[in-house]
Amino acid sequence: MDKDALLYAIRASEGRVLVSESIAITQPLLNNVTNAELAASQGADILLINMFDCENPHIQGLPAGIAPDQTLHELQRLTGRIIGVNLEAVDPQFAVAHEDIWKMKPGRAATAENARKLVAMGAKILVLTGNPNNGVSNRALGLAAEEIREAVGNQAVIITGKMHGAGVVRESGSAIISEQDVAWFASQGADIILLPAPGTVPGMSQQQVTALIDSAHAHGALAMTAIGTSQEGADVSTLRQIALMSKMAGADLHHIGDTGYMGIALPENILAYSIAIRGVRHTYTRIARSINR
């Protein structure tokens, strides 16, 4: 699937695409099965890998003996899903040295070189965003989007935006993204604009997110609402509420985050979110369909 075919499929789904994020470096919930495979089993259409270092490619839970440059290809082979990877656009003005799990590494930076490596490894989607406390700004995201679009051309879909402040306090809460930011991201080469889902970031009401999604669509981009505030570990009824608010706001894709406990959303929440946006028929079809079809 090339970029145009993938974007067409997303548009044609009418807001029924579920993106599940998981962390590459944490111990999998099921020990010897990757968190990404678990997410796929609960109905995820696109598997987004966070904390994937393209200089030292590794995903916990994959079978032993996989060549590093085949890591993403092997995950795609095992799951039959589209694979995406996060890259982080750290702004030197806001960069912070820390020792948290999210500590920045060169192989996760949103650079042209890393983008080319990931595409060669099998990534179909590059998500330019930021992990907690790493100092990722909207300015840095827009500049990275332009650089990476020039580097990969039509080989990958580029998603750009933040699901939380990512270490920049003045770009947090209701100020996390503006309609001007949306327009700029689109002009810089972003195919899809990432926005916090309604109810996840202070001030991000359904009405506010609707206006931002309308702006994205007006500039020819799609929109993905994201849960990046650990609410992927909330109760099922909260996830259903976020799912329906995102659908009503106009989301083309729905993202669920990677830190229910640590490494993946609660599996029951992935399933509940899928059922909320498309019902059991589509959800069970996604779960049941063999990857050999």
Side-chain angles (χ1 to χ4, degrees):
M1 227 185 216
D2 62 16
K3 185 193 87 164
D4 291 339
L6 180 53
L7 289 173
Y8 178 84
I10 292 168
R11 289 181 189 275
S13 77
E14 296 184 298
R16 291 180 287 190
V17 173
L18 181 59
V19 180
S20 184
E21 185 173 355
S22 59
I23 298 177
I25 63 173
T26 56
Q27 177 65 31
L29 206 59
L30 300 180
N31 192 36
N32 59 353
V33 176
T34 65
N35 282 332
E37 290 172 271
L38 176 55
S41 78
Q42 300 303 296
D45 303 291
I46 294 171
L47 304 176
L48 177 60
I49 310 302
N50 192 17
M51 308 284 286
F52 184 81
D53 185 346
C54 68
E55 292 185 353
N56 298 283
H58 180 69
I59 298 175
Q60 290 273 32
L62 279 179
I66 305 299
D69 65 349
Q70 292 300 305
T71 302
L72 298 179
H73 287 299
E74 179 65 8
L75 183 62
Q76 194 278 328
R77 187 187 73 83
L78 291 172
T79 62
R81 302 296 198 269
I82 294 289
I83 308 298
V85 177
N86 283 351
L87 288 172
E88 300 184 62
V90 176
D91 190 325
Q93 181 181 350
F94 300 104
V96 176
H98 61 80
E99 295 298 324
D100 292 350
I101 186 176
W102 314 108
K103 181 180 179 181
M104 192 61 193
K105 293 187 176 181
R108 302 199 331 254
T111 65
E113 180 183 3
N114 286 345
R116 290 190 196 99
K117 287 180 181 177
L118 290 172
V119 168
M121 288 181 190
K124 298 290 186 184
I125 296 174
L126 301 174
V127 178
L128 314 186
T129 189
N131 278 306
N133 302 322
N134 282 343
V136 174
S137 70
N138 286 331
R139 177 181 181 277
L141 286 170
L143 294 174
E146 181 181 40
E147 177 185 342
I148 289 172
R149 171 56 70 213
E150 290 178 0
V152 303
N154 288 329
Q155 294 178 285
V157 169
I158 295 176
I159 302 178
T160 306
K162 297 199 292 184
M163 51 192 82
H164 50 70
V168 181
V169 174
R170 73 186 191 195
E171 290 180 359
S172 300
S174 59
I176 195 167
I177 188 170
S178 67
E179 291 187 28
Q180 290 73 31
D181 293 323
V182 169
W184 189 52
F185 289 162
S187 70
Q188 293 290 95
D191 301 297
I192 299 171
I193 309 302
L194 186 160
L195 305 163
T200 63
V201 167
M204 280 291 153
S205 64
Q206 184 184 322
Q207 292 73 23
Q208 171 76 350
V209 175
T210 298
L212 292 167
I213 291 176
D214 286 345
S215 179
H217 290 165
H219 289 91
L222 299 179
M224 179 174 80
T225 52
I227 304 174
T229 48
S230 293
Q231 285 163 289
E232 57 268 33
D235 60 285
V236 166
S237 64
T238 298
L239 269 292
R240 290 178 180 138
Q241 187 176 3
I242 292 171
L244 291 176
M245 286 193 295
S246 296
K247 192 78 174 273
M248 288 187 282
D252 301 292
L253 304 89
H254 300 255
H255 162 284
I256 186 168
D258 58 20
T259 316
Y261 291 107
M262 193 64 183
I264 186 175
L266 298 186
E268 59 267 32
N269 282 344
I270 301 173
L271 182 65
Y273 201 120
S274 179
I275 291 172
I277 62 172
R278 58 193 177 187
V280 294
R281 183 170 71 91
H282 288 288
T283 297
Y284 291 172
T285 297
R286 167 55 78 196
I287 291 169
R289 182 186 292 120
S290 169
I291 63 170
N292 294 314
R293 283 181 177 266

